[in-house]
């Protein structure tokens, strides 16, 4: 930031979609939109000192790596949850089968009784 | 949008000049601002390592996606089968309710001569009623 005065800047205006995105991120992460812009400008400033060694593709690779890390972690969490759900389902199905047998049994017992009942 | 507010990003011209798709870069930086915040330039100096890491992670991601996919599929099958069993029990239980009606009638005629434990039967039917007919309101 200190060298801002000696540098030349292009003033880039966010497009409508980018503005919407910014405001969405701002409320999602509970951070002022101006602060998000400061973070981005801060990075641009640092990067501008090293444009000859750091290519855009490198930055992109780094960010994609971070995205993958996050997705992998999320997925690992979800896998734990699904496994739990599947185990519960399996357990329930045993119970359903037991219930069914009990229902059939009871049905038979009742049927035979009501037959006697109908005769009278 | 409550007011018309414009946002600007100051981009050093040493960056804006070599990059053709500034809009794309800004798009990406917006989505990933939380990573930019923690990013040190030192993290970017070893391009080769970064690519290795990226390849490793994308492989890992593919693997875990497959595991995830299989489990989701298993869940789908289990859930479907579970619903079928549940429906079957519900329908069977409903029929039982009708038979129970007949039993009431039989009991009024035969009374104590019934060998079946009437109360136990009633309790059992109540259990099925609670489990299969009330369930949909309580659970999931």
């Amino acid at each position: 930031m200190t060298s801002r005065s000696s540098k030349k800047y292009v003033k880039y205006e966010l497009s409508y979609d980018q503005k919407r995105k910014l405001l969405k991120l701002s409320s999602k992460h509970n951070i002022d939109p101006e602060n998000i812009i400061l973070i981005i400008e801060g990075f641009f400033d640092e990067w501008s000192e090293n444009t000859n060694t750091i290519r855009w593709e490198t930055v992109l690779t780094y960010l994609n790596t971070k995205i993958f890390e996050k997705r992998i972690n999320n997925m690992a969490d979800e896998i734990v949850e699904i496994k739990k759900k599947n185990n519960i389902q399996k357990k329930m199905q045993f119970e359903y089968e037991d219930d069914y047998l009990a229902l059939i049994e009871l049905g038979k017992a009742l049927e035979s009784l009501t037959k006697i009942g109908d005769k009278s | 949008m409550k007011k018309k507010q414009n946002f600007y990003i100051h981009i050093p011209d040493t960056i804006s000049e070599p990059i053709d798709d500034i809009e794309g870069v800004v798009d990406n930086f917006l989505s990933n601002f939380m990573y930019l915040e923690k990013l040190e330039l030192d993290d970017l100096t070893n391009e080769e390592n970064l690519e290795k890491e990226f390849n490793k992670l994308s492989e890992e991601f593919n693997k875990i996606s497959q595991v995830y996919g299989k489990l989701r599929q298993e869940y789908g099958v289990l859930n479907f089968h579970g619903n079928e069993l549940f429906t079957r029990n519900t329908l069977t239980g409903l029929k039982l309710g009708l038979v129970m009606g007949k039993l009431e009638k039989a009991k009024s005629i035969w009374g104590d001569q019934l060998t079946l434990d009437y109360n136990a039967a009633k309790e059992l039917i109540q259990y099925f009623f609670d489990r299969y007919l009330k369930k949909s309101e309580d659970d999931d």
Side-chain angles (χ1 to χ4, degrees):
Chain A
M1 288 293 165
T2 46
S3 55
R4 170 162 286 194
S5 50
S6 63
K7 261 190 229 166
K8 276 189 184 169
Y9 289 88
V10 175
K11 202 170 162 193
Y12 173 86
E13 185 181 349
L14 292 194
S15 68
Y16 178 73
D17 284 344
Q18 288 175 333
K19 203 165 97 177
R20 276 185 45 185
K21 195 170 177 178
L22 175 71
L23 294 173
K24 235 186 198 171
L25 286 166
S26 154
S27 67
K28 187 182 163 200
H29 294 270
N30 197 18
I31 169 172
D32 198 79
E34 290 297 342
N35 281 338
I36 295 179
I37 287 185
L38 282 179
I39 289 168
I40 294 174
E41 285 183 339
F43 178 74
F44 270 132
D45 262 333
E46 276 190 67
W47 184 18
S48 68
E49 313 278 341
N50 299 273
T51 35
N52 41 350
T53 51
I54 296 171
R55 301 182 308 136
W56 157 237
E57 287 77 10
T58 317
V59 182
L60 196 62
T61 306
Y62 174 87
L63 293 175
N64 286 341
T65 305
K66 291 290 151 195
I67 293 170
F68 266 138
E69 267 175 14
K70 196 180 170 212
R71 285 199 188 150
I72 289 171
N73 282 339
N74 287 349
M75 226 171 231
D77 289 346
E78 280 190 54
I79 283 176
V80 173
E81 284 307 309
I82 298 178
K83 275 186 179 166
K84 264 191 222 161
K85 278 191 191 171
N86 284 358
N87 283 336
I88 291 173
Q89 267 292 336
K90 282 178 195 161
K91 202 185 121 234
M92 287 308 289
Q93 291 187 10
F94 279 119
E95 287 184 23
Y96 289 161
E97 289 295 356
D98 285 348
D99 283 354
Y100 185 65
L101 294 178
L103 278 172
I104 295 289
E105 196 100 336
L106 185 66
K108 275 185 197 157
L110 290 177
E111 248 346 306
S112 65
L113 278 174
T114 51
K115 267 174 201 149
I116 301 168
D118 287 342
K119 272 181 198 162
S120 68
Chain B
M1 312 247 163
K2 36 190 187 231
K3 57 178 178 173
K4 257 203 164 180
Q5 191 185 358
N6 292 326
F7 292 97
Y8 299 94
I9 294 183
H10 294 84
I11 304 173
D13 56 5
T14 48
I15 285 177
S16 62
E17 275 163 20
I19 290 177
D20 303 327
D21 181 21
I22 278 294
E23 194 176 347
V25 174
V26 171
D27 250 3
N28 191 298
F29 281 3
L30 275 173
S31 310
N32 296 305
F33 80 92
M34 53 282 194
Y35 300 128
L36 284 186
E37 197 177 12
K38 293 171 206 148
L39 174 56
E40 302 281 337
L41 281 185
D42 287 348
D43 295 333
L44 299 174
T45 43
N46 197 332
E47 201 172 325
E48 208 178 306
N49 273 359
L50 268 177
E51 266 168 32
K52 264 189 207 160
E53 176 75 6
F54 176 76
N55 290 334
K56 198 191 94 195
L57 282 172
S58 62
E59 208 176 302
E60 205 176 307
F61 181 72
N62 279 342
K63 275 188 201 152
I64 202 170
S65 295
Q66 281 176 10
V67 175
Y68 177 80
K70 272 187 196 153
L71 280 169
R72 293 275 330 173
Q73 216 174 0
E74 190 192 354
Y75 178 72
V77 173
L78 280 171
N79 209 24
F80 181 77
H81 188 54
N83 280 336
E84 272 187 337
L85 293 183
F86 185 83
T87 309
R88 180 192 65 183
N89 286 7
T90 308
L91 294 176
T92 316
L94 280 174
K95 275 187 219 149
L96 216 57
L98 297 177
V99 183
M100 191 67 194
K102 286 191 193 172
L103 180 69
E104 299 269 5
K105 193 181 141 210
K107 194 183 175 252
S108 67
I109 300 164
W110 291 74
D112 294 338
Q113 290 177 54
L114 283 180
T115 47
L116 182 96
D117 186 342
Y118 178 79
N119 287 331
K122 220 171 172 182
E123 248 174 53
L124 205 52
I125 288 176
Q126 188 63 47
Y127 161 80
F128 287 123
F129 177 79
D130 288 346
R131 175 158 206 176
Y132 291 97
L133 298 179
K134 273 188 175 169
K135 194 188 157 138
S136 45
E137 296 159 24
D138 300 342
D139 300 335
D140 28 49

